[in-house]
Amino acid sequence: MTRHRFKPPLTQAAMAVALAIGGAFAASTFAPREAHAQASHDAQAEQFVAVQAQRIVTVLDDHATSPADRTRAFRAIVDQIADVPRIATFVLGKYARTITQAQMQRFAPVFRAYEQNVYETQLSNFNGNSVKVTGSVVRKPGDVVVNTIIGGRGYKQPLAVSWRVLGGGESWKVVDVQAGGVWLAITQQQDFVSTTDNNGGNIDALIAQLQQQSQQRRDTRAR
Amino acid sequence: MNRQAIKTGLHFAVRTVRAGRARRVGQAFLAAALATVLVAAGGPAIAQTAPAKDAPKAAGRAEAQDLPDPATPDPATTAPVSDSATGLIPDPWSGPNHASYRVTRAINRAAIAPAIRAYVRVVPTPVRTGLDNAIRNLDEPRTVANDVLQGRFKPAGKATARFVINSTVGVAGLVDVASRIGIEKHESDFGQTLGRYGVRSGPYIFVPLAGPSSLRDGAGRLVDIFADPLGLLVGGLGTIFGDVRAGVGAVTERTSADDQLKQVDSTFTDPYASIRSVYSQRRASQIAVARGHSQEDVSQLPDFGAPPQIAPTAQAKPTAAKPVPADPAPPSPAPPCRYLECYDAP
């Protein structure tokens, strides 16, 4: 009769996990790693984000003013620092090639209102009051991702937020914002393209839905 | 080598369970063996197919009835996507996933959300926060184990310090003392560990009541459950400790996500597609961190080119009925875009 030696559960668990890892190693044949380019930083883009992100955070954290005034001030900043027309075209994805001028004229203001609302909602959730730039990566000249840490009241932990800015010199515009690994405009593109696909490529259906959602938000606020 | 590893693992697992020496250890082995089989079956198949950038992307898949025809697989849904920040997890099981999403949403609205809001009304905030802290604290040993497996020893040290401090000074984890002294929380799971070693996500899965996942991450979750260090030491599912931990954990996790879930319908025009997008990006970012990068590879982000020429006359005429064409292709060949659909300056 074979005797089995007792092994502590943790040892067994470690072996089990090691086994799975071994299988993964063998099976995956080490998919090639993406080369992370060691791009240089851009001090001017960092300066732009440091100033503008601090403006946004300060406005959203200013509880001395009324919510309506806060919203107005916030939207004015977004209009100044975000390249909304470029974002509007980007989020349409493949439909940016087929949208008509008339449709674009209807889509642009609806999207602008939608975008301001989404930015405000998302950034308000952060509830921070200080911005610290931790670095930047140049994708290509004039296209920079600036990394920041937003800290302040209401946090257990500071929040990492990345800002994608396009431009050069002292002239920059924000085109996307990332928090928790999720880019806002990229997500919107997938959202809008999927909705338009589901409506047979009809962009008017997307515009109508955005209008409807904006109205619902206004109604909710009014209540 | 691969087959041998699987064979050895399964053989050992079956022997262990038959011997009846340690049920929990047997479960851990079976979970690990299952994960191994899954990644062994899925990993190479996924890794060997064409790279994502060469195939149309899966976003914008239509409704549940638009299941791909098995005879003519749709490259949009079978195309693999790497764990880059810009790739969607492929969704070849779009039909069942949509059904699962709809069922989950209905149950959530009818039962879970009201129950969670009642819990929030009845239980004072300090008690809820304490419970949440305590449950999260129990996950720290799992984080340590996965950090070590990923070769990330500094985060493993932090998670260990957090567990020791919060379990003692923090009164069994009820108070997150470690965060207050600057030892920040992070989470590591076995899906990340597999991703760190190059295992691709596999197909997207919307797990009923649990939410978005993938084949790799689902298998990783099984390993995390059955090979959880604390579960093996104190008691896993089937024990009072394990069952209470799982139950309270489900409530606290759902409660902390409630605000975000409430915003889903008002923020997105297609919540299913957006949840998949968010999950894909978040996992890609977490796996980039597990690979030792501070963030994802920004070179893979889509270009924000100058706006294209807009057609002066109507082109995008609405089509009357669903189902929609699988891919309303643009009139011109797609530019070499790495992400869903984008455009470059002409």
Side-chain angles (χ1 to χ4, degrees):
Chain A
M1 189 178 145
T2 313
R3 287 193 160 217
H4 296 288
R5 271 194 308 157
F6 173 76
K7 289 182 182 173
L10 280 176
T11 310
Q12 303 256 17
M15 286 173 63
V17 173
L19 175 66
I21 285 278
F25 258 108
S28 63
T29 61
F30 293 100
R33 304 266 186 89
E34 298 98 316
H36 279 222
Q38 295 297 311
S40 57
H41 73 109
D42 187 310
Q44 286 173 311
E46 288 180 13
Q47 176 64 18
F48 167 78
V49 169
V51 172
Q52 302 303 339
Q54 186 61 60
R55 276 179 76 198
I56 286 178
V57 166
T58 303
V59 163
L60 290 176
D61 195 49
D62 181 11
H63 295 289
T65 57
S66 69
D69 286 344
R70 208 160 53 230
T71 296
R72 250 193 304 279
F74 173 79
R75 293 186 173 188
I77 298 176
V78 170
D79 272 346
Q80 270 178 32
I81 70 168
D83 192 343
V84 179
R86 194 184 286 264
I87 300 168
T89 314
F90 173 80
V91 296
L92 287 169
K94 62 190 175 190
Y95 293 107
R97 296 192 203 96
T98 55
I99 190 170
T100 67
Q101 279 177 345
Q103 285 174 321
M104 194 55 158
Q105 279 167 2
R106 288 199 302 279
F107 176 72
V110 173
F111 176 72
R112 179 170 165 269
Y114 168 86
E115 186 75 347
Q116 286 176 330
N117 191 284
V118 169
Y119 270 124
E120 188 179 4
T121 306
Q122 299 299 320
L123 290 170
S124 296
N125 292 340
F126 296 170
N127 194 27
N129 62 4
S130 69
V131 176
K132 182 184 171 192
V133 172
T134 56
S136 62
V137 182
V138 178
R139 279 191 75 242
K140 54 188 182 183
D143 187 345
V144 184
V145 174
V146 179
N147 301 315
T148 63
I149 296 284
I150 299 184
R153 281 193 291 278
Y155 282 146
K156 276 186 172 177
Q157 306 193 157
L159 183 73
V161 178
S162 296
W163 310 72
R164 185 155 171 207
V165 294
L166 302 184
E170 293 179 355
S171 173
W172 295 90
K173 290 279 189 184
V174 177
V175 291
D176 208 353
V177 180
Q178 184 217 53
V182 180
W183 289 97
L184 195 55
I186 288 176
T187 307
Q188 284 174 344
Q189 189 191 65
Q190 296 188 325
D191 184 26
F192 290 0
V193 169
S194 182
T195 296
T196 313
D197 280 350
N198 291 343
N199 286 283
N202 182 3
I203 294 172
D204 288 328
L206 172 67
I207 296 170
Q209 192 167 340
L210 288 174
Q211 279 173 326
Q212 189 187 355
Q213 286 184 211
S214 292
Q215 186 60 47
Q216 281 172 353
R217 278 194 294 269
R218 276 196 294 274
D219 292 347
T220 306
R221 259 190 213 149
R223 284 200 295 269
Chain B
M1 175 189 169
N2 190 18
R3 281 186 184 170
Q4 187 58 39
I6 296 167
K7 200 175 159 187
T8 309
L10 285 172
H11 182 63
F12 197 14
V14 169
R15 254 187 22 187
T16 307
V17 174
R18 274 186 185 164
R21 281 172 295 171
R23 184 167 151 249
R24 282 174 292 166
V25 178
Q27 287 173 337
F29 265 99
L30 283 174
L34 175 63
T36 309
V37 170
L38 284 172
V39 296
I46 294 162
Q48 283 163 15
T49 40
K53 63 182 178 182
D54 295 336
K57 300 298 188 290
R61 294 304 305 148
E63 292 298 319
Q65 62 266 33
D66 294 334
L67 270 172
D69 180 357
T72 53
D74 179 358
T77 51
T78 55
V81 179
S82 70
D83 276 307
S84 70
T86 54
L88 272 172
I89 295 175
D91 192 11
W93 301 329
S94 162
N97 281 338
H98 270 90
S100 168
Y101 172 72
R102 281 196 293 266
V103 167
T104 300
R105 191 161 108 148
I107 294 174
N108 183 53
R109 282 183 176 179
I112 298 173
I116 290 297
R117 278 153 215 167
Y119 166 73
V120 170
R121 272 197 305 275
V122 171
V123 181
T125 304
V127 177
R128 281 188 279 117
T129 306
L131 274 177
D132 192 42
N133 288 339
I135 286 294
R136 288 173 189 269
N137 186 52
L138 299 179
D139 291 339
E140 296 285 8
R142 187 195 71 205
T143 292
V144 174
N146 279 295
D147 284 340
V148 169
L149 289 170
Q150 292 166 17
R152 299 168 64 231
F153 298 105
K154 194 173 171 187
K158 279 188 177 180
T160 305
R162 282 183 56 85
F163 185 65
V164 171
I165 291 168
N166 286 343
S167 301
T168 52
V169 185
V171 196
L174 289 168
V175 184
D176 187 358
V177 180
S179 286
R180 295 182 185 188
I181 60 172
I183 308 174
E184 293 168 11
K185 182 173 177 57
H186 72 283
E187 289 178 356
S188 295
D189 59 62
F190 199 67
Q192 281 174 26
T193 303
L194 294 174
R196 184 253 177 273
Y197 291 108
V199 177
R200 304 298 176 96
S201 65
Y204 179 70
I205 302 170
F206 194 94
V207 183
L209 301 180
S213 187
S214 68
L215 187 62
R216 176 198 60 203
D217 296 340
R221 182 82 180 134
L222 285 177
V223 173
D224 283 330
I225 290 171
F226 290 107
D228 177 74
L230 209 59
L232 291 169
L233 199 64
V234 183
L237 288 175
T239 67
I240 292 176
F241 173 80
D243 291 347
V244 169
R245 179 186 173 190
V248 176
V251 172
T252 57
E253 194 174 332
R254 176 61 183 76
T255 305
S256 65
D258 196 51
D259 281 343
Q260 286 177 321
L261 289 173
K262 275 192 280 193
Q263 287 174 12
V264 164
D265 283 341
S266 62
T267 303
F268 302 124
T269 59
D270 183 341
Y272 176 87
S274 302
I275 288 171
R276 182 171 151 232
S277 170
V278 167
Y279 181 76
S280 301
Q281 292 182 65
R282 187 178 295 152
R283 288 302 284 176
S285 170
Q286 289 169 343
I287 286 166
V289 171
R291 287 176 178 169
H293 305 301
S294 59
Q295 61 178 48
E296 84 284 7
D297 184 1
V298 297
S299 70
Q300 295 198 15
L301 292 174
D303 281 327
F304 274 78
Q309 289 280 317
I310 292 172
T313 54
Q315 289 180 21
K317 289 187 179 170
T319 50
K322 292 178 181 180
V324 298
D327 183 8
S332 57
C337 233
R338 286 181 179 171
Y339 178 75
L340 174 56
E341 276 292 336
C342 61
Y343 56 87
D344 290 310

